[in-house]
Amino acid sequence: LFRDGVARTLVESDLFEVVGQASTGREAVAMIAAHKPDIALLDISMPDGGLWALSQVMTSPEPPRVAMLTVSEEDDDVMQALKAGATGYLLKGVGAQELVSVVSDLAAGRSYLAPSLAIKVLAAMNAPRAAPADDDPLDGLTKREEDILRLVSEGKSNKEVGRALDLQEKTVKH
């Protein structure tokens, strides 16, 4: 019901075409790969996980601009989404006009963070950092990132890595 309302709001604005709706992260990843939209809205709490879906979507050569549209105001969720590549983070209490305005901003290349979360993000960014853990930073890499790292460690240039993995050079740099 909520998803239908969001889609209807965007379509009725006459500014957007909704190419699909997905009920799970896996469906969203498949749908985004198939339709290649300019913008995708994901929910942190969707089945399979919105953060998981976001991480999968961001591995594509030309990912869409992704905004999280969710009820979660948890600092960790916000920070993980932004670090994973989300360019927007909206709360589900957003009104129809504001939703259209925010999605328009995203389409124009701007980012959006719900005002009630902005102070939390700034505080988290300015907080003293804890001593680094003994965790291996390579543990968090995706399979694609591992492939890229492996080729870079062999001395290949970004362009060579891109050719070997059928990726754009800018994707390899990112």
Side-chain angles (χ1 to χ4, degrees):
L1 184 62
F2 180 79
R3 214 172 37 243
D4 286 342
V6 168
R8 189 172 311 112
T9 296
L10 294 173
V11 169
E12 288 177 358
S13 74
D14 290 328
L15 298 173
F16 305 101
E17 176 185 355
V18 175
V19 296
Q21 297 181 46
S23 59
T24 69
R26 290 188 192 288
E27 286 178 14
V29 169
M31 195 169 287
I32 290 167
H35 295 288
K36 300 189 182 338
D38 296 321
I39 299 169
L41 301 176
L42 299 174
D43 187 350
I44 294 275
S45 59
M46 67 193 314
D48 303 324
L51 290 172
W52 173 85
L54 173 63
S55 69
Q56 297 303 302
V57 167
M58 296 311 289
T59 64
S60 73
E62 294 184 28
R65 296 183 55 78
V66 178
M68 305 310 285
L69 177 57
T70 186
V71 297
S72 177
E73 295 183 50
E74 295 297 317
D75 295 352
D76 192 47
D77 287 341
V78 176
M79 295 305 286
Q80 282 185 50
L82 296 175
K83 285 179 182 175
T87 55
Y89 200 99
L90 302 86
L91 297 175
K92 282 191 175 177
V94 67
Q97 284 183 324
E98 188 176 358
L99 175 66
V100 169
S101 175
V102 169
V103 175
S104 294
D105 282 349
L106 293 171
R110 293 183 286 275
S111 299
Y112 179 84
L113 179 62
S116 62
L117 301 176
I119 193 71
K120 289 179 162 187
V121 170
L122 288 172
M125 290 173 58
N126 292 323
R129 300 189 184 232
D134 291 337
D135 294 338
D136 185 349
L138 300 179
D139 289 342
L141 295 178
T142 65
K143 171 74 170 98
R144 180 61 101 186
E145 290 167 334
E146 286 177 16
D147 293 342
I148 292 169
L149 185 58
R150 189 170 296 106
L151 292 171
V152 169
S153 71
E154 293 173 4
K156 299 213 183 300
S157 70
N158 290 336
K159 186 178 263 184
E160 291 169 325
V161 171
R163 277 193 215 124
L165 298 176
D166 196 28
L167 295 172
Q168 296 290 324
E169 183 178 357
K170 67 181 180 177
T171 303
V172 174
K173 287 179 185 178
H174 175 73

